[in-house]
Amino acid sequence: MNMEKVKITCPYCKQVFAIKKPEKSGNYRIVCPNPNCKKDIRLKLVAHPIQMQGQGSAPVQPENEPKDTAQTPPTKIKMGEEFRLHKARLIQQRKFKSNIVHQLSEGRNLIGRKDDVNSSDISIEGDNTISRQSVEIIMERTEKGYLFKLNVLRAKNPVYLNKAQLTEGEGMYLDYGDIIRLGKTSFIFEECKN
């Protein structure tokens, strides 16, 4: 059915492509499938049939429809499945020292600056630019595999996923090989087959 798909035009390279219609309305971030572009595109999508901006563009929320007051973080939509076969870990990059491996466990993994009072699951020493409870990575096991989602909690300094800056309350799904930067500290999100 045509109602199952939404046509998107990349504002950078002008390529038109289709994505699956979202199950719920909200802010979404997609990655342009054009291999020469691969830029992040932010959209506000509505789950039910509504008026269109123009041919090949994403639906917009009608003026007379009440705004959703609940703030839901944007979700990164990928063209393929977001499920991963294996667990993952974070590799903390350090200059002139050995990298540190942080194993992720199922459920919530809280990441922040080392603090004796409010301890995080992954505590980072020596970087005062990271908040005490900066981000969380949720690892969810499903029948199809694992889902990994990065949520920004309280970050006084910028949080980056690859080269995209995330704001407080924003969430993104992770892929193996993604680079996460909190303050001055960088991590590689890596597949863990053990």
Side-chain angles (χ1 to χ4, degrees):
M1 286 178 63
N2 290 338
M3 299 300 283
E4 298 285 329
K5 299 273 186 180
V6 176
K7 284 188 178 179
I8 307 292
T9 302
C10 176
Y12 304 102
C13 70
K14 306 302 182 202
Q15 178 172 333
V16 178
F17 55 96
I19 62 170
K20 186 178 174 184
K21 186 172 77 171
E23 293 178 12
K24 61 181 183 176
S25 300
N27 294 322
Y28 290 87
R29 178 180 283 173
I30 62 172
V31 176
C32 177
N34 181 347
N36 296 325
C37 181
K38 292 284 188 191
K39 297 208 184 235
D40 284 343
I41 306 166
R42 293 179 185 227
L43 299 169
K44 182 166 192 162
L45 298 175
V46 180
H48 53 82
I50 51 156
Q51 68 190 39
M52 300 295 284
Q53 284 181 333
Q55 186 175 1
S57 60
V60 294
Q61 189 167 5
E63 293 295 323
N64 58 359
E65 185 172 306
K67 302 276 188 210
D68 183 12
T69 55
Q71 289 291 331
T72 55
T75 303
K76 187 175 184 180
I77 301 174
K78 299 193 173 55
M79 297 302 111
E81 290 287 335
E82 295 167 357
F83 299 99
R84 303 291 166 239
L85 294 177
H86 301 104
K87 293 184 178 182
R89 60 188 180 179
L90 288 178
I91 308 297
Q92 181 181 342
Q93 305 289 291
R94 301 196 309 169
K95 291 181 181 178
F96 312 114
K97 293 182 181 179
S98 298
N99 294 336
I100 300 174
V101 178
H102 302 282
Q103 298 294 338
L104 297 174
S105 56
E106 286 185 38
R108 185 178 193 227
N109 296 271
L110 190 60
I111 304 167
R113 182 177 77 231
K114 183 173 181 179
D115 183 75
D116 294 331
V117 178
N118 289 326
S119 181
S120 296
D121 301 310
I122 298 174
S123 294
I124 308 304
E125 292 186 62
D127 187 350
N128 291 331
T129 63
I130 300 175
S131 299
R132 288 183 182 93
Q133 296 184 341
S134 184
V135 298
E136 66 179 2
I137 295 177
I138 306 291
M139 180 166 70
E140 180 185 350
R141 185 179 192 163
T142 70
E143 291 178 359
K144 294 182 180 180
Y146 292 95
L147 279 174
F148 301 93
K149 188 171 184 185
L150 172 73
N151 294 316
V152 180
L153 303 174
R154 293 178 217 95
K156 292 180 181 176
N157 289 300
V159 172
Y160 290 92
L161 176 59
N162 298 319
K163 294 183 179 179
Q165 183 175 342
L166 305 181
T167 58
E168 194 170 308
E170 198 169 4
M172 298 284 282
Y173 285 103
L174 296 172
D175 284 333
Y176 301 137
D178 280 345
I179 297 172
I180 301 165
R181 197 173 89 213
L182 310 177
K184 297 176 183 175
T185 304
S186 293
F187 304 88
I188 298 175
F189 181 75
E190 184 179 88
E191 181 178 18
C192 181
K193 294 184 179 180
N194 295 338

